Amino acid sequence: SSAVVELWAAEVAGAYGREVSRVLKELDPHHLNLGVRFAGDAPDPVLKALGPSCDVISLNYYRRGGPVSFRHLQRIHELSGQKPLMITEFSWRAQQNRSGLRNSRGSNVTVSTQSERADRCRKYLESLLSTPFVLGYHYFMLFDQSPGGRTFDGEDSNYGLVDLKDREYTELAGTLREMNGKAFALHAASQALPPRPHSSPTTA
């Protein structure tokens, strides 16, 4: 059953986390352990098992509509033992772009125009920076992908802050500059979220 699969995944995750943590503390004790960089989410038992081994829970978190889901992030925060979160990928891609990209492969965060990319980014960061347990974020990516697709998976998306001729997408880049400048103030004003209702624990 899926419950048994999740519990086995938790056993593997826990063993992996403990071993990686041990090695990192031995070889590089002065840096944070950022975890495994989840692709948006993980089963509850896996989050519980891996949380104690990490200093930070990192995850890629794409939101086509813009604002983040507070409840989703809070769930990960609580299940991991109240570890802080770092968003290691987020982005949007526009059909209107200067690199001739079709956006046929990759995360489906497609909008029509560059203005929409900037608007979604502003809404995303306004909501993310209002989340007290999020400690950082990393936009994906600096430059557009090739129209022929990435070598290993064919991804051909307008994720870039610049096009393939190194020309800036001014609306999106301007929004990121603006929000980065406001980041400390917005985060300092964030307030703790109310407790999230918990479902019954998974059992084998």
Side-chain angles (χ1 to χ4, degrees):
S1 72
S2 60
V4 172
V5 170
E6 289 184 2
L7 289 171
W8 172 244
E11 287 293 319
V12 174
Y16 171 86
R18 289 188 295 273
E19 182 62 14
V20 170
S21 178
R22 181 190 66 78
V23 172
L24 285 176
K25 287 177 180 177
E26 178 182 330
L27 300 178
D28 192 14
H30 304 298
H31 288 84
L32 295 175
N33 178 348
L34 303 182
V36 300
R37 197 175 178 201
F38 291 114
D41 200 4
D44 288 14
V46 171
L47 291 167
K48 289 179 181 179
L50 199 60
S53 302
C54 304
D55 299 309
V56 178
I57 301 296
S58 58
L59 67 150
N60 300 349
Y61 187 45
Y62 289 81
R63 294 284 286 179
R64 184 177 182 181
V68 303
S69 166
F70 291 111
R71 291 298 186 187
H72 174 66
L73 297 180
Q74 185 182 24
R75 169 183 156 271
I76 295 172
H77 170 64
E78 291 181 356
L79 288 171
S80 64
Q82 297 189 323
K83 294 300 173 70
L85 307 186
M86 178 178 288
I87 306 304
T88 43
E89 275 191 29
F90 68 103
S91 192
W92 295 267
R93 57 190 191 180
Q95 294 171 335
Q96 173 201 66
N97 65 79
R98 296 190 301 261
S99 298
L101 294 163
R102 296 178 299 161
N103 301 316
S104 64
R105 301 290 297 273
S107 182
N108 184 18
V109 283
T110 310
V111 296
S112 296
T113 67
Q114 293 299 319
S115 294
E116 287 180 272
R117 287 180 83 199
D119 177 66
R120 305 293 169 90
C121 182
R122 177 176 286 103
K123 291 176 180 175
Y124 185 100
L125 288 177
E126 284 174 346
S127 58
L128 186 70
L129 289 165
S130 297
T131 307
F133 48 81
V134 170
L135 58 75
Y137 54 88
H138 176 265
Y139 181 84
F140 182 81
M141 54 187 293
L142 174 59
F143 50 84
D144 276 342
Q145 295 174 328
S146 166
R150 289 194 299 194
T151 303
F152 61 92
D153 65 358
E155 198 169 273
D156 58 349
S157 292
N158 165 231
Y159 291 138
L161 297 177
V162 300
D163 64 21
L164 294 177
K165 294 184 178 180
D166 203 30
R167 297 173 299 182
E168 187 178 89
Y169 290 108
T170 55
E171 291 164 300
L172 177 60
T175 294
L176 277 167
R177 287 192 189 98
E178 174 195 345
M179 298 307 298
N180 287 344
K182 295 178 178 179
F184 287 110
L186 289 171
H187 198 260
S190 65
Q191 298 181 0
L193 299 176
R196 185 183 65 87
H198 291 285
S199 57
S200 301
T202 304
T203 56

